[in-house]
Amino acid sequence: MNYQNYALGKWVAGDGEGTPLYNSITGEEIGRAGSKGLDFGDMLIYARNIGAPPLRKMTFQQRGLMLKALALHLHSIKDKFYPLSYATGATRLDSWIDIEGGIGNLFANASLRRQFPDLPFYVDGEAAKLSKQGSFIGHHIMVPKNGAAVHINAFNFPVWGMLEKIAVNFMAGMPAIVKPATLTCYLTHLMVQEIIASNILPEGALQLICGSANGILDHITCEDVVTFTGSASTGKMLKAHPNIVEEAVPFNMEADSLNACILGKDAVPGTDEFDIFIKEVLKEMTIKAGQKCTAVRRIIVPENLVEEVQTALSQKLKKTTIGDPQIEGVRMGALAGKSQVEEVTEKVEELASSQHIVFGDIENFEVTGADKNKGAFISPILFLNDKPFEKTDCHNIEAFGPVSTIIPYNKMDEAVELSRLGKGSLVCSIVTSDDSLAREFVVGAASMHGRILVLNKDCAKESTGHGSPMPLLTHGGPGRAGGGEEMGGKRGILHYLQRTAIQGHPTTITALTSQYQYGGKQKESSPHIFRKHFEEIEIGETVTTDSHLVTLENIEDFAELSGDKFYAHMDESALEGTIFTERVAHGYYIMSRAAGLFVDPPKGPVLLNYGIDECRFTKPVYPGMTIAVRFTAKEKIDQEKKSEDDIAKGIVKFLVDVYDDEGETVMLGTILTMIKKKDQS
Ligand code: NAP
């Protein structure tokens, strides 16, 4: 089988024979992949000219729905990917992480649409008042970069590695060219075939290079984004490419990392935490046969517990059956290829020059259901390093397989220091039930780690584990880990957008952002805005209400009703030393009374009010003052129908500006309403 590339909207084979690809369990050749003859420059132009425009035009809501449709489709056919995944050496669980974890990432990103405006670009943060009178303000918008995202990936997660990245660039409105590692590109190829065949993405949104992508960076320009996951040496070489430097192309690098797991002093044998620690480390050594960027490479334990940890881990590793993952009882599959066995063996030998193996033998181990010499099998290897501050190889050499080192520590500051000797890692965990120990470790070690997990019996059951990067959390790490950041929910999407400061009159900034800006022109709504359907409401439309005289009786009635009898509302004699000169009205009374002023009661298109985004009481209101409200449509977000018989509706955010007789704002808030659409189809 020739695993073709998908370029310029067509499946094309590379010229020549291509690189042979092997089943890592049987050693048989399963096909070839090559990219010779592909014009990477044309692929990038195609992505920018054909793929980018429709994506850029879509709103975040539309992109989210597109991703959701893709996720639902891939989920419905997920079983198609498992048989081929076994060829990468993955067990059922490993494949589940790769395939369903990847699809889960699409779902998670699709849901993020609710955190974005109903626009093709993002309005970032709050407006900045830049003038005394308020006629000149600043704001920030973030628009999709007008280029392509080039994703260069490692071999270990051929599906997840692609999906976790394209989910994010599609949400941002950019097309992608994906380059999986050649070694396992056949699985990515199958996934891309299904994605293209589904016709869910616009033309040009996704292209695939199965063979080498050597030379692609020669064609990168300043509006493109490059992400890299792989070895530090390749990453550094690519990051230093003249185009990346000269064109200031964002380059997100996720590289090798010597992740650690720390056992707290309190977690002695017999405690739940000791068992949790052993289970977690075992999982991290053997899942994906240790070929996980987040796998635990350094097991940092109190020096008086070294022997117990070594014994417990060795016993568990002994019971880890290695072999063909399709055979019942096999717990660890193979590495992704013979080349990886050679590489890991070499690294084990290097490590063995400064520390000794306490479990495992690179030559002698048993394999179930497969030929040990044909498949890419390897034994788990557990090292012990008795002088980790002197023998530092374990902090520098990454064996990308089931290889880990036990490292003793004395005091917590030593554990912190040892974890930092990895010079930057993706993730670190500490197993302890002592939160003050956890705090000491986390605060001391955080600057060298992208993520820190604190595990104990209270969270272990539901914990997603040391090794799983979560779509809503940042994935990446400083230093050796590449200094990159992926995913992270909304944060990840922002990486593909250009932030631009915009300045002008609030009315202009309202027009640019489609969000009403305080001080901008208001248009009196006629009829009352509660009589209007979602489609009919314009940003800036305002209801200016009647006024209400606040009385002492109001304050007392509200205190009675709410039960809030705080002294500042109730006790005139207690005001000395406070900022109040009289008994002050409750802020929540002002809010409630404001609703009484702006609400138009009869049944109409407004379905409900579901909350307040922000609310500030900016000036005390005393009995005798009057209040009135300017109630302005601030932002509109379209909503999809959840089912055929669902009510067609949208969200409208209203700015509630309550002001006093001097025209000064006493309360400013944003309320969230759901409003029916006129068109219910
Ligand atoms: P690699 O050899 O560095 O390759 C990574 C990717 O770079 C592959 O797709 C490779 O393509 C491509 N590549 C190599 N030279 C290139 C060039 N000149 N131009 C464009 N692309 C080029 O890494 P690997 O062996 O696949 O992955 C294992 C390593 O990745 C481990 O060290 C592991 O720690 C790291 N990793 C890190 C993370 C993370 O999130 N931090 C995740 C997974 C893995 P070819 O396959 O065609 O050479």
Side-chain angles (χ1 to χ4, degrees), residues 166-181:
I166 62 172
V168 184
N169 66 256
F170 289 150
M171 273 307 282
M174 281 185 88
I177 298 179
V178 173
K179 154 65 189 136

PDB file of all heavy atoms in Angstrom, residues 166-181:
ATOM      1  N   ILE A 166      -5.130  20.388  15.218  1.00  0.00           N
ATOM      2  CA  ILE A 166      -6.029  20.988  14.212  1.00  0.00           C
ATOM      3  C   ILE A 166      -7.322  21.503  14.850  1.00  0.00           C
ATOM      4  O   ILE A 166      -7.912  22.453  14.364  1.00  0.00           O
ATOM      5  CB  ILE A 166      -6.328  20.043  13.011  1.00  0.00           C
ATOM      6  CG1 ILE A 166      -7.047  18.761  13.442  1.00  0.00           C
ATOM      7  CG2 ILE A 166      -5.077  19.753  12.203  1.00  0.00           C
ATOM      8  CD1 ILE A 166      -7.528  17.919  12.259  1.00  0.00           C
ATOM      9  N   ALA A 167      -7.730  20.866  15.955  1.00  0.00           N
ATOM     10  CA  ALA A 167      -8.941  21.353  16.643  1.00  0.00           C
ATOM     11  C   ALA A 167      -8.766  22.830  16.948  1.00  0.00           C
ATOM     12  O   ALA A 167      -9.688  23.636  16.780  1.00  0.00           O
ATOM     13  CB  ALA A 167      -9.150  20.579  17.942  1.00  0.00           C
ATOM     14  N   VAL A 168      -7.566  23.175  17.373  1.00  0.00           N
ATOM     15  CA  VAL A 168      -7.316  24.531  17.842  1.00  0.00           C
ATOM     16  C   VAL A 168      -7.188  25.500  16.663  1.00  0.00           C
ATOM     17  O   VAL A 168      -7.785  26.581  16.663  1.00  0.00           O
ATOM     18  CB  VAL A 168      -6.058  24.534  18.742  1.00  0.00           C
ATOM     19  CG1 VAL A 168      -5.830  25.897  19.326  1.00  0.00           C
ATOM     20  CG2 VAL A 168      -6.192  23.490  19.847  1.00  0.00           C
ATOM     21  N   ASN A 169      -6.430  25.101  15.611  1.00  0.00           N
ATOM     22  CA  ASN A 169      -6.291  26.065  14.507  1.00  0.00           C
ATOM     23  C   ASN A 169      -7.613  26.252  13.756  1.00  0.00           C
ATOM     24  O   ASN A 169      -7.907  27.338  13.264  1.00  0.00           O
ATOM     25  CB  ASN A 169      -5.130  25.732  13.564  1.00  0.00           C
ATOM     26  CG  ASN A 169      -5.285  24.459  12.787  1.00  0.00           C
ATOM     27  OD1 ASN A 169      -4.671  23.459  13.098  1.00  0.00           O
ATOM     28  ND2 ASN A 169      -6.109  24.470  11.751  1.00  0.00           N
ATOM     29  N   PHE A 170      -8.443  25.199  13.691  1.00  0.00           N
ATOM     30  CA  PHE A 170      -9.744  25.374  13.024  1.00  0.00           C
ATOM     31  C   PHE A 170     -10.643  26.305  13.841  1.00  0.00           C
ATOM     32  O   PHE A 170     -11.352  27.133  13.292  1.00  0.00           O
ATOM     33  CB  PHE A 170     -10.446  24.025  12.800  1.00  0.00           C
ATOM     34  CG  PHE A 170      -9.799  23.173  11.735  1.00  0.00           C
ATOM     35  CD1 PHE A 170      -9.854  21.786  11.783  1.00  0.00           C
ATOM     36  CD2 PHE A 170      -9.126  23.756  10.667  1.00  0.00           C
ATOM     37  CE1 PHE A 170      -9.250  21.004  10.807  1.00  0.00           C
ATOM     38  CE2 PHE A 170      -8.519  22.985   9.679  1.00  0.00           C
ATOM     39  CZ  PHE A 170      -8.581  21.607   9.750  1.00  0.00           C
ATOM     40  N   MET A 171     -10.619  26.150  15.155  1.00  0.00           N
ATOM     41  CA  MET A 171     -11.422  27.054  15.989  1.00  0.00           C
ATOM     42  C   MET A 171     -10.978  28.503  15.768  1.00  0.00           C
ATOM     43  O   MET A 171     -11.787  29.419  15.776  1.00  0.00           O
ATOM     44  CB  MET A 171     -11.267  26.709  17.473  1.00  0.00           C
ATOM     45  CG  MET A 171     -12.208  25.655  17.979  1.00  0.00           C
ATOM     46  SD  MET A 171     -13.935  26.004  17.640  1.00  0.00           S
ATOM     47  CE  MET A 171     -14.338  27.213  18.880  1.00  0.00           C
ATOM     48  N   ALA A 172      -9.666  28.676  15.579  1.00  0.00           N
ATOM     49  CA  ALA A 172      -9.152  30.037  15.393  1.00  0.00           C
ATOM     50  C   ALA A 172      -9.438  30.564  13.991  1.00  0.00           C
ATOM     51  O   ALA A 172      -9.380  31.774  13.768  1.00  0.00           O
ATOM     52  CB  ALA A 172      -7.655  30.055  15.666  1.00  0.00           C
ATOM     53  N   GLY A 173      -9.719  29.657  13.037  1.00  0.00           N
ATOM     54  CA  GLY A 173     -10.000  30.105  11.670  1.00  0.00           C
ATOM     55  C   GLY A 173      -8.813  30.017  10.740  1.00  0.00           C
ATOM     56  O   GLY A 173      -8.709  30.791   9.787  1.00  0.00           O
ATOM     57  N   MET A 174      -7.920  29.062  11.013  1.00  0.00           N
ATOM     58  CA  MET A 174      -6.761  28.866  10.126  1.00  0.00           C
ATOM     59  C   MET A 174      -6.773  27.457   9.542  1.00  0.00           C
ATOM     60  O   MET A 174      -7.172  26.510  10.210  1.00  0.00           O
ATOM     61  CB  MET A 174      -5.453  29.015  10.921  1.00  0.00           C
ATOM     62  CG  MET A 174      -5.039  30.431  11.202  1.00  0.00           C
ATOM     63  SD  MET A 174      -3.415  30.464  12.000  1.00  0.00           S
ATOM     64  CE  MET A 174      -2.312  30.492  10.587  1.00  0.00           C
ATOM     65  N   PRO A 175      -6.283  27.289   8.306  1.00  0.00           N
ATOM     66  CA  PRO A 175      -6.142  25.949   7.731  1.00  0.00           C
ATOM     67  C   PRO A 175      -4.857  25.288   8.226  1.00  0.00           C
ATOM     68  O   PRO A 175      -4.003  25.961   8.799  1.00  0.00           O
ATOM     69  CB  PRO A 175      -6.045  26.229   6.227  1.00  0.00           C
ATOM     70  CG  PRO A 175      -5.409  27.581   6.153  1.00  0.00           C
ATOM     71  CD  PRO A 175      -5.829  28.344   7.377  1.00  0.00           C
ATOM     72  N   ALA A 176      -4.720  23.981   7.979  1.00  0.00           N
ATOM     73  CA  ALA A 176      -3.540  23.274   8.486  1.00  0.00           C
ATOM     74  C   ALA A 176      -2.916  22.368   7.436  1.00  0.00           C
ATOM     75  O   ALA A 176      -3.600  21.811   6.579  1.00  0.00           O
ATOM     76  CB  ALA A 176      -3.935  22.433   9.698  1.00  0.00           C
ATOM     77  N   ILE A 177      -1.598  22.252   7.556  1.00  0.00           N
ATOM     78  CA  ILE A 177      -0.881  21.201   6.833  1.00  0.00           C
ATOM     79  C   ILE A 177      -0.275  20.323   7.921  1.00  0.00           C
ATOM     80  O   ILE A 177       0.457  20.817   8.787  1.00  0.00           O
ATOM     81  CB  ILE A 177       0.232  21.781   5.935  1.00  0.00           C
ATOM     82  CG1 ILE A 177      -0.375  22.696   4.868  1.00  0.00           C
ATOM     83  CG2 ILE A 177       1.047  20.659   5.297  1.00  0.00           C
ATOM     84  CD1 ILE A 177       0.622  23.343   3.933  1.00  0.00           C
ATOM     85  N   VAL A 178      -0.618  19.043   7.905  1.00  0.00           N
ATOM     86  CA  VAL A 178      -0.163  18.150   8.964  1.00  0.00           C
ATOM     87  C   VAL A 178       0.933  17.237   8.442  1.00  0.00           C
ATOM     88  O   VAL A 178       0.807  16.636   7.377  1.00  0.00           O
ATOM     89  CB  VAL A 178      -1.351  17.303   9.494  1.00  0.00           C
ATOM     90  CG1 VAL A 178      -0.870  16.259  10.473  1.00  0.00           C
ATOM     91  CG2 VAL A 178      -2.379  18.204  10.150  1.00  0.00           C
ATOM     92  N   LYS A 179       1.989  17.160   9.225  1.00  0.00           N
ATOM     93  CA  LYS A 179       3.101  16.281   8.879  1.00  0.00           C
ATOM     94  C   LYS A 179       3.308  15.327  10.050  1.00  0.00           C
ATOM     95  O   LYS A 179       3.950  15.680  11.046  1.00  0.00           O
ATOM     96  CB  LYS A 179       4.341  17.143   8.587  1.00  0.00           C
ATOM     97  CG  LYS A 179       5.675  16.467   8.813  1.00  0.00           C
ATOM     98  CD  LYS A 179       5.905  15.310   7.875  1.00  0.00           C
ATOM     99  CE  LYS A 179       7.143  14.518   8.278  1.00  0.00           C
ATOM    100  NZ  LYS A 179       6.914  13.071   8.216  1.00  0.00           N
ATOM    101  N   PRO A 180       2.701  14.118  10.004  1.00  0.00           N
ATOM    102  CA  PRO A 180       2.961  13.152  11.068  1.00  0.00           C
ATOM    103  C   PRO A 180       4.359  12.559  10.874  1.00  0.00           C
ATOM    104  O   PRO A 180       4.891  12.605   9.757  1.00  0.00           O
ATOM    105  CB  PRO A 180       1.886  12.083  10.832  1.00  0.00           C
ATOM    106  CG  PRO A 180       1.559  12.186   9.379  1.00  0.00           C
ATOM    107  CD  PRO A 180       1.837  13.591   8.937  1.00  0.00           C
ATOM    108  N   ALA A 181       4.934  11.995  11.922  1.00  0.00           N
ATOM    109  CA  ALA A 181       6.225  11.317  11.749  1.00  0.00           C
ATOM    110  C   ALA A 181       6.009  10.166  10.763  1.00  0.00           C
ATOM    111  O   ALA A 181       4.978   9.478  10.813  1.00  0.00           O
ATOM    112  CB  ALA A 181       6.708  10.800  13.089  1.00  0.00           C
TER     113      ALA A 181
END
